[in-house]
Amino acid sequence: MTLKTGQRVVLAADTPLTDSAEVSGVVVGFLSLAAGTEGIVEQVVGHQDESEEVREYERLKSLLDSFGGGMPTESRRQLEEKVGSLEPAWTAFQERAPRVSVRVRFDNGFILDGADEDVFVPA
């Protein structure tokens, strides 16, 4: 599911906002939003976490594609081997769906920012 800015949503599960507060070793409370709390999506942000290996693959693959034909044979072979060794990381990266986080302003005034979109359902 992909949420959109301006869309009304409902919190699908109770969501703790703080750890429990203690005074002299006694739990005095905690803050959470209840499932069913409604609000409006203010912002949607896609995150694609790239590892160092993925960035290196992109850099070396671009170099190979652009200049591989004019490189000395041994240099091109070494570059092809390095690109080949990084391909599993690239393939895994391509197969992962990007994580999407949202900023939601609830009707009660609370704002939840950076929440995973999967904790909301359309209202």
Side-chain angles (χ1 to χ4, degrees), residues 4-6 40-45 101-104 113:
K4 295 181 178 14
T5 301
I40 296 177
V41 176
E42 289 190 335
Q43 182 180 30
V44 178
V45 179
S101 65
V102 294
R103 175 184 171 104
V104 174
D113 195 12

Side-chain angles (χ1 to χ4, degrees), residues 50-114:
E50 288 185 356
S51 68
E52 186 66 33
E53 290 176 318
V54 168
R55 286 190 293 277
E56 184 68 357
Y57 174 87
E58 289 174 322
R59 185 182 74 79
L60 295 177
K61 181 71 169 136
S62 176
L63 182 65
L64 181 62
D65 291 346
S66 298
F67 303 106
M71 296 175 102
T73 305
E74 185 60 24
S75 296
R76 185 176 60 247
R77 185 190 63 73
Q78 289 176 359
L79 185 56
E80 287 170 344
E81 285 178 5
K82 183 64 176 170
V83 167
S85 72
L86 294 169
E87 269 188 47
W90 173 253
T91 301
F93 172 75
Q94 294 291 81
E95 291 173 352
R96 280 192 313 263
R99 186 178 81 79
V100 176
S101 65
V102 294
R103 175 184 171 104
V104 174
R105 180 177 302 272
F106 292 102
D107 296 345
N108 64 10
F110 282 113
I111 297 173
L112 188 57
D113 195 12

